[in-house]
């Protein structure tokens, strides 16, 4: 047991300053219904929006995905702008990342290598997963987050994310 604590401590001190906390990164917070730290929430939202925008830009050329992809691009550009505005208005020093994390980069690389039905299936799977994750994140932060303005925004954004999830589930398989 002592080794586990030492390993956890080493991981905490060895992660870069911009990396998510271990409980959020591993999904422990999500499994336990615990709100992310504000910095983790901001990073996760930014990475999610960037992934949604970039993956949907790839999907625009597929006629069966074009309407959904266009909506994802517009809606996630809007939430990115809203997040930046909230951070500025509330004098928060946190700056959202401007590029996706490694996990989202791998998903984008996978999508980039696919075509036709394989692309459609993977895009659908990624969209469902991304929106389920986003709903968990936003619900947890809206319920117990640290920053009141971000809590309200998270709560106000949940209906759109629920709609996105339903739309993603209705994409062609």
């Amino acid at each position: 047991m002592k080794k586990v604590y030492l390993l956890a401590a080493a991981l905490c001190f060895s992660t870069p300053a911009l990396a998510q906390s271990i409980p959020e990164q591993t999904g422990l917070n999500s499994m336990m219904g615990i709100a992310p730290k504000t910095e983790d929430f901001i990073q996760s939202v930014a990475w999610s929006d960037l992934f949604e925008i970039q993956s949907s830009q790839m999907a625009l050329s597929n006629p069966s995905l074009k309407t959904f992809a266009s909506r994802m691009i517009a809606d996630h550009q809007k939430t990115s702008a809203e997040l930046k505005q909230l951070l500025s208005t509330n004098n928060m020093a946190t700056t959202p990342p401007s590029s996706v994390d490694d996990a989202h980069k791998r998903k984008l690389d996978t999508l980039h290598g696919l075509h036709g039905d394989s692309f459609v299936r993977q895009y659908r799977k990624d969209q469902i997963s991304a929106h389920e994750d986003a709903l968990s994140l936003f619900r947890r932060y809206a319920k117990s987050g640290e920053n009141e303005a971000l809590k309200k925004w998270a709560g106000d954004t949940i209906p759109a994310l629920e709609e996105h999830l339903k739309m993603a589930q209705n994409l062609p398989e």
Side-chain angles (χ1 to χ4, degrees), residues 115-149:
H115 305 285
D117 292 342
S118 297
F119 178 89
V120 171
R121 279 191 299 277
Q122 187 62 50
Y123 178 75
R124 179 184 186 274
K125 179 182 172 189
D126 287 347
Q127 292 302 311
I128 291 170
S129 175
H131 286 95
E132 288 171 343
D133 291 347
L135 274 168
S136 169
L137 180 75
F138 276 73
R139 285 177 178 147
R140 289 181 291 122
Y141 199 86
K143 181 179 177 184
S144 306
E146 303 162 322
N147 180 283
E148 288 303 317

Side-chain angles (χ1 to χ4, degrees), residues 7-13 15-16 19-41 43-44 47 133 136-137 140 146:
L7 177 60
L11 285 171
C12 287
F13 291 113
T15 56
Q20 284 184 312
S21 66
I22 299 295
E24 194 62 34
Q25 191 175 43
T26 61
L28 185 62
N29 281 353
S30 181
M31 288 186 335
M32 297 180 68
I34 298 171
K37 295 189 311 183
T38 297
E39 294 78 17
D40 288 346
F41 177 72
Q43 284 182 333
S44 294
W47 286 330
D133 291 347
S136 169
L137 180 75
R140 289 181 291 122
E146 303 162 322

Side-chain angles (χ1 to χ4, degrees), residues 39-115:
E39 294 78 17
D40 288 346
F41 177 72
I42 294 165
Q43 284 182 333
S44 294
V45 170
W47 286 330
S48 178
D49 279 348
L50 289 166
F51 174 75
E52 291 293 330
I53 293 164
Q54 292 174 25
S55 64
S56 294
Q57 287 169 335
M58 286 188 243
L60 284 173
S61 62
N62 186 302
S64 67
L65 302 174
K66 187 173 184 168
T67 300
F68 176 82
S70 296
R71 171 85 181 268
M72 292 306 100
I73 293 167
D75 286 2
H76 288 281
Q77 286 175 335
K78 179 182 176 219
T79 55
S80 290
E82 289 171 350
L83 177 63
K84 289 175 186 171
Q85 182 62 41
L86 273 169
L87 295 175
S88 174
T89 302
N90 290 283
N91 297 319
M92 297 181 71
T94 305
T95 302
S98 58
S99 60
V100 294
D101 61 328
D102 290 341
H104 287 102
K105 173 84 168 92
R106 286 190 295 276
K107 288 180 181 184
L108 289 169
D109 289 345
T110 297
L111 277 174
H112 189 66
L114 298 174
H115 305 285

